[in-house]
């Protein structure tokens, strides 16, 4: 039976040819990039080639890219790093985030607050998932050191007007550090505008675009300084200690070089599948799609069926070899309502029973037919059993 993978926002599977390409590269340059002998120099060349490839995606320069273990570390690096550069003992730095952040930002910010390292304000979002900018404006103070927001939501796919939001914040407070969790943009949108925007730092994860898991990057605007989050060596120009994950870095670099040529076609295929699914869902009584009125990622649909448990839908999809998610893959093993949907005003029941379909560029119209078939079977059975 054919398998249908629709959990790209959780991870975008690496292709078989990608594994081969990474293995081939590693065989030629499997040295420590900090070593000065030939194997080390070859590894250093591969490292910097990958860094330059990631930078090109963002319209940035290579020295603005710091490789990390993933976006969670990159987000932690940004939030901790900004606060660690503030030396005043008389002023408590103020941090602003939004209510719909990924846990990598939300929990980090709360931890910093609970440790007495900052004051924290959380901006609400509208029912559409868009940031309440008027409330954000009111939250800005003379002590605001950092504003962090999610460019595209991993659960709902709702996208902010990221460059405009950053410019708006900058117009109100020139010296604030603006950080963006841009994880879900990679491989789903064009990003060459980012380095020319008012964004000071942005987090990325390679496995969201078909690279290996365990590798990410922090874009850090030239001239901005962060206190290193991991100490112990001079790697990454003294900004992130530890021998670089060369398999992951090479993998990320390969995908970064491939993405520009693939992007337009990939977006078209994902959007076609997304829009077809939305149209089909809209004809099912009791189906509600979340964030539909907002700009969204081209591949993502988040929905619920009235009075039909989300786990029932997911279990039956899985039995049909269709692999979807209940929301954030980072916390999907914990049965609790989505804080994102609750922030958008949905009930605990809806927030607990939503389903996320996130297509890869390999999506086919027949995949949508099969997904709808399973959903309708689950709904019909649920009605009969009442």
């Amino acid at each position: 039976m054919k398998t249908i993978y629709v959990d790209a926002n959780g991870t975008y599977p690496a292709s078989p040819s990608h594994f081969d390409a990474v293995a081939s590269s590693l065989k030629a340059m499997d040295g420590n990039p900090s070593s000065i002998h030939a194997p080390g120099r070859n590894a250093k060349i591969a490292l910097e080639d990958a860094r330059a490839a990631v930078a090109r995606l963002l319209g940035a320069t290579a020295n603005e890219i710091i490789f990390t273990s993933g976006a969670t570390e990159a987000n932690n690096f940004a939030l901790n790093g900004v606060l660690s550069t503030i030396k005043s003992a008389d002023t408590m730095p103020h941090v602003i985030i939004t209510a719909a952040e990924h846990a990598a930002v939300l929990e980090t910010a709360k931890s910093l607050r609970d440790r007495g390292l900052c004051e924290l304000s959380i901006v609400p979002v509208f029912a559409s998932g868009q940031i309440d900018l008027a409330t954000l404006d009111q939250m800005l103070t003379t002590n605001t050191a950092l504003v962090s927001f999610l460019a595209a939501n991993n659960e709902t796919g709702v996208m902010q007007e990221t460059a405009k939001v950053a410019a708006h914040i900058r117009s109100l407070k020139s010296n604030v550090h603006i950080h963006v969790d841009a994880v879900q943009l990679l491989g789903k949108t064009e990003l060459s505008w980012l380095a020319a925007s008012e964004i000071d730092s942005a987090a990325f994860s390679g496995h969201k675009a078909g690279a290996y898991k365990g590798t990410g990057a922090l874009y850090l605007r030239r001239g901005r300084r962060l206190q290193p989050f991991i100490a112990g060596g001079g790697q990454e120009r003294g900004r992130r200690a530890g021998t670089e994950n060369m398999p992951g870095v090479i993998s990320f670099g390969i995908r970064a070089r491939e993405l520009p040529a693939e992007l337009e076609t990939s977006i078209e295929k994902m959007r076609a599948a997304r829009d077809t699914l939305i149209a089909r869902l809209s004809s099912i009584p009791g189906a509600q799609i979340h964030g539909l009125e907002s700009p969204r990622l081209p591949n993502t649909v988040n929905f619920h069926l009235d009075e039909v448990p989300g786990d029932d839908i997911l279990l039956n999809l899985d039995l049909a070899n269709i692999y979807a998610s209940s929301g954030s893959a980072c916390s999907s093993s914990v049965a609790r309502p989505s804080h994102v949907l609750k922030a958008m005003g949905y009930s605990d029941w809806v927030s607990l029973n939503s389903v996320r379909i996130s297509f890869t560029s390999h999506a086919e119209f027949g995949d949508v037919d099969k997904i709808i078939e399973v959903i309708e079977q689950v709904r019909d059975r649920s009605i009969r059993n009442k």
Side-chain angles (χ1 to χ4, degrees), residues 1 10 13 15 72 81 85 113 140 144 156 176 185-186 191 212 231 239 264 279-280 295 298 322 360:
M1 182 184 295
S15 68
T72 296
T85 61
R113 176 200 61 192
L140 288 166
T144 304
T156 64
V176 71
L185 297 183
L186 190 66
L191 286 167
Y212 284 3
R239 298 174 295 184
E264 183 176 355
R280 298 288 301 278
I322 302 170
T360 71

Side-chain angles (χ1 to χ4, degrees), residues 151-152 159 162 182-191 193 204 297:
M159 297 175 65
T162 302
V183 169
Q184 293 296 337
L185 297 183
L186 190 66
K188 299 163 192 166
T189 63
E190 202 276 331
L191 286 167
W193 53 268
F204 296 92
L297 291 170

Side-chain angles (χ1 to χ4, degrees), residues 87-108:
K87 305 300 182 184
S88 174
D90 302 323
T91 302
M92 175 70 75
H94 178 227
V95 172
I96 298 176
I97 63 172
T98 82
E101 295 300 307
H102 187 279
V105 168
L106 184 63
E107 297 304 321
T108 300

